[in-house]
Amino acid sequence: MPRKSWREALAAYSSPSTLVLLLLGFAAGLPYMLVFSTLSVWLREAGVARETIGFASLIGLAYAFKWVWSPLLDQWRLPLLGRLGRRRSWLVLAQVLIAIGLAGMALCDPQTKLTWLISLAVLVAFASATQDIAIDAYRLEIAEDTRQAALAASYMAGYRVAALLATAGALYFAEGFGSTVQLYQHSAWAGTYLVFALLMLPGLLTSLWMREPAVPLQTQLAAALYGFSHQIASVLVLIVLLVSVPAMLTQFYHTDFASLVRGEASLLDLLLEDRAFLRALLYTILTTLCLSRMGRRGLAPVLTPVNDFIVRYRWQAFLLLGLIASYRMSDTVMGVMANVFYIDQGFTKDQIASVSKLFGLVMTLLGAGIGGLLIVRFGILPILFIGGVASAATNLLFMLLVSMGADLQMLIVTISADNFSAGLATAAFVAYLSSLTNLQFSATQYALLSSIMLLLPRLIGGYSGVMVEKLGYEQFFIITALLGVPTLILIVLQWKRERPQTNGSTPPEAADTPPLKTEANS
């Protein structure tokens, strides 16, 4: 791909699609925060027990498993609303449900109608996750790969502004309407959530106004092949499989096999007396049925996009998945302990909030914007590499801060650099993920790849507290910086593989590979 001029790079931010993604990002950022951190404050102020608030956080599973129902958005057109087009119809449905859900939450006082409040929050979370799927798919289909970072930067700007408004802004509204920790008033929170239900209107108008991207012929054929009933069956089979496999392993773990080995019990005894063993057998049967020929046929709408990815990249798919799974590991694992570290260093909550909200937000948006500009100018992989280096290297600033105590100026430098590198890396990574997807399965493949991106860092991040306890903060930050090295090696390997393509030749593996993208008008 020939290198573009700076004027052409800046032009990536002047298209109407940039404004569309800004407004859609705003619509995506509002509900996410309103069913998490802001809802937790509301529940606690209303006197709900901490244990209940903790269980309520499981609402977030809707975002972690959104790839389960993403094939529906790729291959099924909604009745009536389907006249708006495949992407816009799902966006309108999701945004209407979010607004209705937020308005319904406003009418439920957690002191008397907690169950209804949580149920409506679940509705908002599922509708919000569906909106995210549709927005990602829309973004992939309206522009070529090099413009994806610019669109992602615009989306991130809208998202961060909405997130700030739905957290600090929502607390300000609730306080202004008369609800405090000492004197809880449901009417104040009701007014706050009604305001945010109305703030979904710009996103809804944007979905009605924007242009629907063209539907690739392959997608039309796939939609004709898998009817609605088949797709619903696929989602149900996948849910059963996701539940039965971990449950089966858990029940086998609790089965008293030791007594069987010692000869104290027979297999018949286990069948008759050990409930864990009986449940394990039941889940084994369910798993077997899901993986049988009939079950695999039912899973075809989900397995087809996965198979497409593997067929297109062959053995290289493992390299790509390794890169995706590890790219955000360095800053994600470190980020789990960041706020704890600030407190342990002696910074006040006001200092942390002020620096992170002011400098953190500005530098994140600046990093994302510059990342989008550089990717149009120089290509994706060079900026992906720079983002990986910056994300890992800025962890060393935290290491320097360890010995400096509560140095506010160093905190500003550290948070600014960390958020700038995170914005740059995110823009590059979104563009790279977008380049890997096939437009025939844009919603499903992007949802899957973005889920893989978070899985390993979140699992390792769960042990970050243990690492700090055993090693101390200084060694912890060094280790998190080193976690970025394998990713850089994988990027270099991938860069070497793709270099022949930029020189005008096609690698033999790609000779029979279908194109990843079809350029669409924005």
Side-chain angles (χ1 to χ4, degrees):
M1 181 186 68
R3 181 175 293 181
K4 295 186 178 182
S5 66
W6 286 108
R7 178 174 294 181
E8 291 174 311
L10 287 169
Y13 287 99
S14 63
S15 67
S17 55
T18 305
L19 175 61
V20 168
L21 265 296
L22 178 70
L23 294 172
L24 291 180
F26 184 84
L30 288 178
Y32 182 84
M33 293 301 175
L34 291 173
V35 296
F36 281 108
S37 57
T38 303
L39 179 60
S40 298
V41 176
W42 180 8
L43 294 178
R44 190 56 188 157
E45 197 168 281
V48 177
R50 293 186 182 90
E51 294 83 356
T52 304
I53 296 174
F55 286 125
S57 68
L58 295 176
I59 294 170
L61 292 175
Y63 295 90
F65 289 96
K66 61 185 180 181
W67 53 273
V68 172
W69 67 93
S70 59
L72 291 175
L73 278 71
D74 266 336
Q75 300 170 358
W76 185 52
R77 183 184 292 269
L78 288 168
L80 299 180
L81 284 176
R83 297 178 181 179
L84 295 172
R86 187 173 51 136
R87 298 304 176 207
R88 292 197 302 157
S89 61
W90 281 102
L91 277 173
V92 169
L93 175 63
Q95 289 162 351
V96 168
L97 289 176
I98 290 170
I100 292 174
L102 291 176
M105 290 175 67
L107 302 177
C108 297
D109 188 343
Q111 292 183 337
T112 58
K113 298 180 180 179
L114 180 60
T115 302
W116 277 103
L117 178 64
I118 298 300
S119 299
L120 288 167
V122 170
L123 171 66
V124 172
F126 273 96
S128 175
T130 302
Q131 179 184 228
D132 291 349
I133 298 170
I135 292 174
D136 286 332
Y138 173 80
R139 175 179 51 78
L140 293 171
E141 293 168 353
I142 62 172
E144 64 275 11
D145 297 337
T146 54
R147 288 183 54 208
Q148 289 297 325
L151 295 180
S154 180
Y155 172 85
M156 191 183 303
Y159 190 97
R160 288 302 183 101
V161 170
L164 184 61
L165 185 61
T167 49
L171 299 184
Y172 174 79
F173 282 135
E175 187 90 13
F177 290 154
S179 182
T180 64
V181 176
Q182 294 77 21
L183 181 61
Y184 167 72
Q185 289 190 12
H186 169 247
S187 59
W189 283 100
T192 299
Y193 271 69
L194 286 174
V195 167
F196 282 99
L198 289 174
L199 286 176
M200 288 299 299
L201 187 60
L204 179 60
L205 294 176
T206 300
S207 299
L208 293 170
W209 165 75
M210 68 189 193
R211 179 181 300 178
E212 175 73 17
V215 181
L217 177 60
Q218 296 93 333
T219 302
Q220 298 179 37
L221 295 175
L225 179 62
Y226 303 120
F228 174 66
S229 59
H230 193 172
Q231 293 165 7
I232 290 294
S234 174
V235 172
L236 293 176
V237 171
L238 186 57
I239 291 174
V240 171
L241 188 62
L242 290 172
V243 171
S244 61
V245 171
M248 175 187 66
L249 297 175
T250 302
Q251 295 305 317
F252 273 129
Y253 176 78
H254 290 291
T255 298
D256 188 15
F257 286 115
S259 62
L260 185 66
V261 173
R262 292 192 300 266
E264 299 173 358
S266 64
L267 187 60
L268 181 60
D269 293 330
L270 289 182
L271 284 172
L272 296 176
E273 300 177 5
D274 195 326
R275 292 186 178 181
F277 185 59
L278 289 175
R279 286 192 291 264
L281 291 180
L282 173 62
Y283 288 123
T284 301
I285 293 172
L286 289 175
T287 302
T288 304
L289 289 174
C290 291
L291 297 177
S292 66
R293 185 175 181 180
M294 183 181 298
R296 293 197 303 271
R297 189 181 305 165
L299 285 171
V302 175
L303 295 179
T304 300
V306 177
N307 183 65
D308 168 81
F309 185 85
I310 295 173
V311 168
R312 282 191 293 121
Y313 292 106
R314 300 176 185 176
W315 68 267
Q316 187 187 358
F318 296 100
L319 185 151
L320 293 173
L321 292 176
L323 195 162
I324 293 168
S326 62
Y327 187 73
R328 300 306 306 274
M329 189 181 302
S330 182
D331 54 342
T332 301
V333 174
M334 184 280 299
V336 174
M337 297 303 298
N339 285 332
V340 179
F341 168 67
Y342 300 147
I343 296 295
D344 290 345
Q345 282 292 101
F347 294 105
T348 66
K349 289 189 287 293
D350 289 340
Q351 289 176 324
I352 297 168
S354 299
V355 174
S356 62
K357 288 177 182 177
L358 178 60
F359 293 95
L361 176 62
V362 171
M363 296 306 291
T364 298
L365 300 181
L366 184 62
I370 291 177
L373 184 68
L374 293 176
I375 286 172
V376 177
R377 180 73 171 87
F378 299 107
I380 296 175
L381 281 175
I383 311 306
L384 189 72
F385 184 84
I386 293 173
V389 171
S391 295
T394 50
N395 287 10
L396 300 178
L397 292 176
F398 287 88
M399 182 196 69
L400 295 176
L401 186 57
V402 172
S403 59
M404 299 176 68
D407 189 317
L408 185 59
Q409 291 184 339
M410 187 60 184
L411 179 67
I412 293 173
V413 171
T414 301
I415 287 182
S416 298
D418 182 60
N419 281 267
F420 180 86
S421 65
L424 180 70
T426 299
F429 197 53
V430 167
Y432 190 62
L433 285 186
S434 303
S435 72
L436 297 178
T437 59
N438 186 338
L439 287 185
Q440 182 181 350
F441 312 106
S442 53
T444 306
Q445 288 188 352
Y446 191 87
L448 280 168
L449 293 177
S450 59
S451 297
I452 292 171
M453 169 191 73
L454 295 174
L455 181 60
L456 190 58
R458 290 284 173 85
L459 289 175
I460 296 178
Y463 294 94
S464 57
V466 177
M467 296 168 64
V468 171
E469 289 292 333
K470 290 188 175 181
L471 304 173
Y473 278 116
E474 190 169 347
Q475 295 297 319
F476 170 72
F477 291 131
I478 293 175
I479 290 174
T480 56
L482 293 176
L483 287 176
V485 174
T487 303
L488 301 179
I489 296 173
L490 291 173
I491 293 174
V492 171
L493 292 175
Q494 184 63 16
W495 199 346
K496 288 183 177 180
R497 286 187 54 81
E498 294 190 9
R499 188 168 295 170
Q501 298 183 35
T502 60
N503 293 334
S505 60
T506 302
E509 297 94 329
D512 57 350
T513 299
L516 300 184
K517 292 281 182 184
T518 57
E519 189 169 344
N521 294 328
S522 60

